Amino acid sequence: MNQKEIDAYRKIAAPSTLKARIINEREKEQKKFRINAGICYGVAALCAVFVLVFTFYPTSSIALYYNSDALKNDSVAVAEMAVSQYARTVTSEVLVPLTLTTDTKAEVSVSEGFIVIDGKDMGQKTEIENDTDFFWSVSTNENSKEYTLNIKSKKEKITYCISKDETNGFFIKKAN
Amino acid sequence: MSRSDLGQFEAVYSKYSNMLYRIALSHLLNKEDAEDAVHDVFIKYMNSVFHFFSEEHEKAWFIRVTVNLCHDMARRRKIRSHAPLEEALTVFEEAGSGDITRQVLELEDIYKTPILLHYYEGYSVEETARILRISVSAVKMRLSRAREKLKMDFPSEG
């Protein structure tokens, strides 16, 4: 092999512009990568926020049942009430049998009447920690007047109300 | 040091760019395509994450990737049937290359690559075999057949 040929071959060099072209291309790629990474981080952060929101979103762990039916915003007819055996005054006081299910400590209070648990008069306000059957004894001698029962826990506050309709009788429903 | 680091890139570029450009030009016979090939090889290098065990390993990687890329480009763009050989030859002639180089450039790639690496770039038969990932005997056979085709008085490899 002729050394002259080899030397001539080895004289051939890459164009001087090639290096700058590669550097520019690399910078463009890195910029694109940074933008994509930024978008990915943004999406990931958004997902994390959603997960946190859904994880810690206060979901109700408290429910109130009347005759095994969970009370919601629809009015539920309350059966003709018997005269309360715990009545303090006259026969206008009635007894509503309720069941509270809760996995947290809840304060139960009534605007009128009193609460009865296991035959014991608990007054207008009591604390319940577990699933509990109780009665709400309330005076119903005034038509259209609404009485409320409030359940308050650390997470939420729920209000139920009972009212008397002159023609249709008694109704109870969730107020909020 | 990261491969995207400018200093690292410049060191590697100055070490291999000319050799890779010559190899690419010899295969593609077109200045722009050769430039594109070398460009793509360096971008591939900077985007790669694997570790080179030695400088020889790194050099072999560069040459192998360049040759493979040239084969792909030649296939894709049908360089052989369209690119004017004269254009590439001008570059070689301007550098002072003669008839032998011209004939080498006209060889098929299978023979051209070992000839370029062994005779022009100065790699031993063993190094050429490692770079091309073929056996030493295959390199010797290809060099022998290439010499026959060229009908030139090349020295025997060894």
Side-chain angles (χ1 to χ4, degrees):
Chain A
M1 171 60 105
N2 187 337
Q3 189 58 41
K4 200 181 138 207
E5 293 269 352
I6 295 168
D7 291 342
Y9 172 86
R10 288 186 184 168
K11 259 195 242 167
I12 296 169
S16 54
T17 53
L18 182 56
K19 188 157 100 179
R21 196 182 140 198
I22 294 167
I23 292 169
N24 284 344
E25 176 74 20
R26 179 64 186 165
E27 278 169 2
K28 254 191 257 172
E29 277 191 4
Q30 282 180 327
K31 198 174 166 188
K32 213 193 290 178
F33 175 79
R34 276 195 293 270
I35 291 168
N36 288 341
I39 292 169
C40 288
Y41 281 128
V43 170
L46 217 61
C47 289
V49 167
F50 273 114
V51 168
L52 286 174
V53 165
F54 282 109
T55 305
F56 296 106
Y57 190 79
T59 50
S60 180
S61 59
I62 291 174
L64 191 65
Y65 294 84
Y66 170 73
N67 279 346
S68 309
D69 293 325
L71 293 173
K72 293 179 180 166
N73 297 96
D74 303 323
S75 295
V76 175
V78 176
E80 194 66 38
M81 290 178 223
V83 175
S84 170
Q85 59 181 300
Y86 305 102
R88 287 167 170 169
T89 54
V90 285
T91 55
S92 57
E93 286 192 55
V94 290
L95 203 61
V96 188
L98 298 164
T99 302
L100 177 71
T101 57
T102 178
D103 56 6
T104 179
K105 191 189 274 188
E107 184 190 274
V108 181
S109 62
V110 290
S111 64
E112 187 68 35
F114 56 99
I115 298 158
V116 178
I117 300 175
D118 292 334
K120 247 169 79 181
D121 181 345
M122 308 301 288
Q124 282 195 300
K125 193 191 278 186
T126 188
E127 278 193 346
I128 291 175
E129 282 190 52
N130 306 307
D131 297 357
T132 306
D133 294 324
F134 67 97
F135 295 97
W136 177 16
S137 181
V138 60
S139 168
T140 57
N141 55 356
E142 281 183 57
N143 287 332
S144 312
K145 192 169 180 187
E146 249 185 25
Y147 302 111
T148 57
L149 180 147
N150 295 300
I151 302 171
K152 207 168 109 185
S153 72
K154 271 186 186 170
K155 282 186 185 173
E156 58 195 315
K157 188 181 171 188
I158 311 169
T159 301
Y160 297 88
C161 64
I162 190 164
S163 58
K164 187 184 177 190
D165 181 318
E166 201 176 351
T167 48
N168 299 312
F170 300 96
F171 291 93
I172 189 165
K173 67 173 183 178
K174 195 174 176 184
N176 61 348
Chain B
M1 191 188 288
S2 144
R3 277 188 196 149
S4 56
D5 183 276
L6 197 61
Q8 169 85 349
F9 163 74
E10 287 192 350
V12 172
Y13 183 86
S14 63
K15 218 188 302 179
Y16 302 118
S17 60
N18 291 339
M19 175 186 66
L20 299 181
Y21 180 72
R22 288 193 294 266
I23 292 171
L25 188 63
S26 304
H27 281 85
L28 296 165
L29 305 173
N30 179 289
K31 283 192 279 186
E32 285 75 29
D33 289 335
E35 199 178 317
D36 285 350
V38 177
H39 168 273
D40 290 355
V41 170
F42 277 103
I43 292 291
K44 197 169 181 174
Y45 169 78
M46 285 189 282
N47 287 337
S48 67
V49 289
F50 47 80
H51 172 72
F52 294 114
F53 303 111
S54 61
E55 199 176 316
E56 197 194 348
H57 181 213
E58 185 182 66
K59 190 163 59 182
W61 181 89
F62 269 108
I63 295 171
R64 194 166 47 247
V65 170
T66 305
V67 170
N68 290 340
L69 198 65
C70 289
H71 288 166
D72 288 346
M73 285 174 78
R75 253 198 311 270
R76 214 167 42 235
R77 301 182 196 180
K78 299 189 173 144
I79 297 292
R80 281 209 160 276
S81 56
H82 294 105
L85 181 60
E86 293 306 323
E87 186 204 339
L89 285 177
T90 316
V91 181
F92 288 98
E93 278 162 10
E94 278 170 4
S97 296
D99 282 347
I100 301 172
T101 303
R102 187 191 175 94
Q103 285 184 54
V104 168
L105 295 178
E106 287 172 345
L107 281 172
E108 295 161 67
D109 285 349
I110 192 172
Y111 302 117
K112 191 196 299 183
T113 310
I115 288 275
L116 287 173
L117 293 180
H118 182 61
Y119 290 111
Y120 284 81
E121 297 293 348
Y123 292 107
S124 68
V125 172
E126 289 75 18
E127 283 172 322
T128 305
R130 271 197 296 277
I131 290 167
L132 298 178
R133 287 191 173 160
I134 54 176
S135 66
V136 170
S137 56
V139 173
K140 284 182 178 173
M141 188 196 71
R142 288 182 194 185
L143 289 173
S144 162
R145 287 195 184 156
R147 281 196 304 271
E148 278 172 30
K149 281 175 182 277
L150 293 168
K151 296 189 179 92
M152 290 284 175
D153 189 21
F154 279 84
S156 289
E157 69 283 348

